[in-house]
Amino acid sequence: MQAMTQSVSWRSYALVVLGTLVYTSLMFSWFSLPAYLPTIIDDVGLSSTEAGILAGAVPLTYIPLALFSGLAVDRFGPGHSLGVALGCIGVAQIARSAAPGFLGLLATTIGLGVGATLVTFGLPKLVSVLFPPDETGLPSSIYLVGASAGTATAFSLGRPLIGPALGGWRRLFFWSGVLILGYAVVWLAVVRLSRLRTASGEGDGSGDNPALRDLKTVLLHRELRLVVVLGITYLLIIHGLQGWLPAILESRGLSAERAGQTTTLLVGANVLGVLTIPGLADRFGARRAAIVATSAVAGLGVAAIIGGGRSLVAVAGIVGAGLGVGGLSPMVRAIPPALDGIGARLTGTAVGLVFAVGEIGGFAGPFLIGFLRESTGSFTPGLAVLAVSGIAAVVAGFRLDSAGG
């Protein structure tokens, strides 16, 4: 352990930065579709419900796969898991560049979601392998900022600049997929050269099936179930807004370029929340208060988007929603390793449970906005669901005894 701590200053952080680019690649690929959603709707002939399903297809993939992906990451380690993830993402992005219609786009986007699950659980595992438990805060923030950078790039550069320069959304999807496959080769070479531990090797030698034992441990953990509620709310709001905000803003009269750039306010506020709120909460021993506050701010932010039209109230709502979910996001990931009976050994499985159930919200957010818009002709009912979900997270935060503060 001493040797690992000594090397934290350069080798461990270097590996986290390289791993962060995996998350950046994922999020750029993931949100290149929502960034281009109005154009894809017209080109392919999608209904609002079909568009909502596509926007929520990646979160939907987590529901059946998250627990299995978490177990796989715990068993095989983060190095090869992240390499496989990049391969899945690159192939899926290339394939959906040629998808002719809704079913083809859905199938290839689900393929991207398979890689996404491995990234979501592989990076917390990478940090737990490289850093002592009391030094995981900064590296966790690094990869979450990298994730936000990928989302922001899709909206601020992919749609208004890179896509048009390449010749449209299909060419953007194709060439980004090629680059991601190239990075998969680089990442696996780094894993081999760095001798990063690829398997946990943490069996206890008992006769019990370790996978079933680990699943039982996380499924029966009361505090972890409350974290799942927080995860549902966080994912419902962030995926609902990231999937539909450009289309919502365009429906209010903004140009496609202006709508994409305005959506980056959500991403920027998310980054600010990631970088500041969890650190302040830990410094002052007020993690539970921070969870309650960020949940409330996220819900109120969505309410301001509903009522703000094209005014500064809506802009403030976008910032508030991003700040709230940005502050909540790292805490959802940071709480499970600190819980009694979970720890670093079961980090992948525990976070897998949070996202397996939580991504019901991740899918429901964009799906409900699209479905209710088609049913009512308005984005307001779907956004109202997102706003009300903040109340559930506030209640869960109050009941989370192990949150701290």
Side-chain angles (χ1 to χ4, degrees), residues 33-391:
L33 188 145
Y36 257 107
L37 192 57
T39 300
I40 295 173
I41 288 173
D42 291 338
D43 287 353
V44 181
L46 301 175
S47 68
S48 293
T49 298
E50 289 173 335
I53 291 172
L54 285 179
V58 174
L60 182 65
T61 308
Y62 280 74
I63 298 170
L65 292 185
L67 273 174
F68 298 103
S69 294
L71 285 166
V73 168
D74 277 339
R75 292 291 173 260
F76 301 110
H80 290 162
S81 298
L82 291 172
V84 171
L86 284 168
C88 291
I89 295 163
V91 169
Q93 188 76 333
I94 292 171
R96 69 178 182 171
S97 73
F102 168 69
L103 290 178
L105 284 169
L106 178 61
T108 51
T109 301
I110 288 173
L112 190 150
V114 174
T117 64
L118 293 171
V119 175
T120 299
F121 315 130
L123 282 166
K125 187 69 175 182
L126 178 70
V127 169
S128 72
V129 167
L130 295 173
F131 293 84
D134 59 349
E135 296 182 32
T136 58
L138 178 58
S140 297
S141 294
I142 289 172
Y143 71 69
L144 286 172
V145 170
S148 295
T151 306
T153 302
F155 287 116
S156 64
L157 297 178
R159 169 70 188 272
L161 297 176
I162 302 174
L166 292 174
W169 63 274
R170 291 189 184 275
R171 301 297 290 174
L172 174 68
F173 285 15
F174 176 82
W175 286 111
S176 59
V178 170
L179 289 175
I180 289 167
L181 287 179
Y183 189 59
V185 176
V186 173
W187 170 256
L188 290 173
V190 168
V191 169
R192 183 175 181 84
L193 291 172
S194 67
R195 299 177 183 174
L196 179 66
R197 185 158 48 121
T198 57
S200 62
E202 289 176 336
D204 62 1
S206 71
D208 295 336
N209 185 309
L212 292 178
R213 185 188 64 240
D214 293 348
L215 279 174
K216 182 178 179 181
T217 298
V218 299
L219 288 171
L220 297 179
H221 203 291
R222 173 191 171 274
E223 297 284 281
L224 195 61
R225 291 198 292 268
L226 292 173
V227 180
V228 168
V229 175
L230 299 177
I232 292 173
T233 297
Y234 145 62
L235 292 162
L236 181 82
I237 293 175
I238 192 61
H239 288 313
L241 290 181
Q242 287 179 333
W244 278 102
L245 189 56
I248 291 169
L249 295 174
E250 287 187 43
S251 75
R252 295 179 180 181
L254 273 67
S255 66
E257 181 177 356
R258 185 73 177 274
Q261 291 170 345
T262 304
T263 300
T264 63
L265 290 175
L266 176 74
V267 181
N270 185 280
V271 172
L272 182 62
V274 166
L275 289 175
T276 59
I277 294 174
L280 290 172
D282 287 349
R283 181 175 181 181
F284 294 103
R287 182 177 284 178
R288 181 162 62 178
I291 290 171
V292 171
T294 52
S295 301
V297 168
L300 290 172
V302 178
I305 295 172
I306 295 172
R310 296 178 60 180
S311 70
L312 290 178
V313 173
V315 174
I318 292 170
V319 172
L323 192 67
V325 294
L328 193 58
S329 170
M331 290 187 283
V332 166
R333 292 166 168 85
I335 292 171
L339 296 176
D340 290 340
I342 302 297
R345 188 180 72 85
L346 294 180
T347 294
T349 307
V351 177
L353 173 66
V354 172
F355 279 83
V357 182
E359 287 292 6
I360 295 174
F363 171 74
F367 171 75
L368 287 174
I369 291 175
F371 174 76
L372 292 173
R373 197 270 178 114
E374 187 168 342
S375 301
T376 66
S378 172
F379 285 113
T380 297
L383 289 173
V385 174
L386 272 59
V388 172
S389 71
I391 298 172

